[in-house]
Amino acid sequence: MLRGRWRTTAAALGRVALVWAASTLTMLVMAGLLPDFRLRSDDGDSITETGLAAAWGAGAFGLLSALVWPLLVRALLLVPALVLGLTVFFLNGSLLLVALDLVPAADGELSPQTAVVVAAAMSAVASATSTALAVRDDEAYRRRLYRLADRRRRRGRRAAGP
């Protein structure tokens, strides 16, 4: 039993590390492609320090997204879907700006419009990477089945009444 938990924990940490690496690589590619986005480190522009700044920025963005988005989704449940669809991009760009401001190693230049594009690209890559990694994960499948069964059980209780 304990061995299975370690294996599950190690697999989850491995997925987090791979998604973080994909987000870091996306940030570096976007910094190279977009003229309005530049990553700089405090000491200079060496590739290692810039890569570390991107890794810290991607990590801060991922952590902020994991902490803030569940709260925002609950708060924005009453907002119409069309407005929410447009708001998501703005909020993701804002989270990226905050994340890069929080990281002391990253001293970059990023306009708000470019932040929206970079955040959308990073979110898409992170989502695709985590989905691809979860395809062969039996635990993710079991969790999904448990959630569906629990949802059906709750609906049955509500339909039966008190």
Side-chain angles (χ1 to χ4, degrees):
M1 176 89 168
L2 188 60
R3 188 177 191 184
R5 285 190 185 200
W6 279 109
R7 188 174 291 159
T8 303
T9 303
L13 289 175
R15 282 193 303 273
V16 167
L18 286 173
V19 170
W20 186 6
S23 295
T24 300
L25 185 62
T26 303
M27 186 180 282
L28 285 171
V29 167
M30 297 300 281
L33 291 177
L34 297 172
D36 293 346
F37 181 31
R38 182 180 162 112
L39 284 173
R40 280 193 311 251
S41 62
D42 287 338
D43 300 335
D45 285 329
S46 79
I47 189 69
T48 305
E49 292 171 347
T50 303
L52 285 174
W56 282 112
F61 177 65
L63 188 61
L64 276 175
S65 294
L67 295 174
V68 171
W69 271 110
L71 300 172
L72 286 175
V73 167
R74 296 232 186 247
L76 297 174
L77 281 175
L78 300 174
V79 177
L82 180 62
V83 175
L84 183 61
L86 299 173
T87 307
V88 166
F89 292 108
F90 169 74
L91 292 173
N92 250 356
S94 299
L95 280 178
L96 182 62
L97 287 172
V98 170
L100 289 177
D101 282 343
L102 289 176
V103 175
D107 180 31
E109 301 168 5
L110 184 63
S111 68
Q113 298 86 356
T114 306
V116 170
V117 173
V118 173
M122 287 177 62
S123 296
V125 169
S127 179
T129 304
S130 63
T131 301
L133 292 172
V135 166
R136 297 184 49 96
D137 185 11
D138 291 338
E139 280 300 312
Y141 180 70
R142 282 191 200 106
R143 283 191 304 270
R144 173 97 172 120
L145 287 178
Y146 288 144
R147 271 187 263 137
L148 288 173
D150 189 43
R151 207 177 291 159
R152 285 184 183 159
R153 200 175 316 119
R154 282 191 215 149
R155 274 192 221 138
R157 284 187 208 146
R158 277 190 234 139

